[in-house]
Amino acid sequence: MIGRLNHVAIVVPDLAAAAATYRTTLGARVSAPLPLPEHGVTTVFVELDNTKIELLHPLGAASPIASFLERNPAGGMHHVCYEVADIRAARDRLAAAGARVLGDGEPRPGAHGKPVLFLHPKDFCGTLVEIEQV
Ligand code: CO
């Protein structure tokens, strides 16, 4: 059911420092910071040949990643995002298999404007999983 790895999201305490690490130390193509106020994050996209890394930093008081950064002050991997062809069909299959879909189960536009859902980390080896319809 799942297709390509769309991105790995990493929460960082210092976006400029993290961008410099990826650009200079790792030699990657790195975007300018992009504020996404509707998602409560500022994102730097790291473009790799086969996937993306998204460096995330909290934006605003109600950021959904603020508590993650409090628990992981040095930053850390936040989620992986897998592509699916039909997100509602994927959701129904996952729910039937006993996986917990977070929120109300309705897909919402993600950071790329495409419909996404998040799946409970306890059902996926301790890793928060995002599925995105492409
Ligand atoms: Co994501």
Side-chain angles (χ1 to χ4, degrees), residues 15 32-43 59:
L15 205 49
L34 180 67
L36 298 171
E38 68 277 26
H39 295 289
V41 298
T42 302
T43 301
L59 175 62

Side-chain angles (χ1 to χ4, degrees), residues 7 9 54 79 81 112 118 130:
H7 61 270
E54 295 183 6
H79 64 269
C81 177
H112 313 111
F118 285 90
E130 180 180 24

Side-chain angles (χ1 to χ4, degrees), residues 37-90:
E38 68 277 26
H39 295 289
V41 298
T42 302
T43 301
V44 165
F45 295 97
V46 180
E47 297 283 344
L48 305 181
D49 285 346
N50 61 343
T51 191
K52 293 185 287 289
I53 307 296
E54 295 183 6
L55 305 174
L56 305 177
H57 188 76
L59 175 62
S63 173
I65 59 169
S67 62
F68 181 91
L69 198 52
E70 280 166 22
R71 292 193 308 274
N72 305 275
M77 201 197 79
H78 186 261
H79 64 269
V80 295
C81 177
Y82 301 122
E83 298 180 355
V84 296
D86 181 333
I87 198 163
R88 287 190 165 78

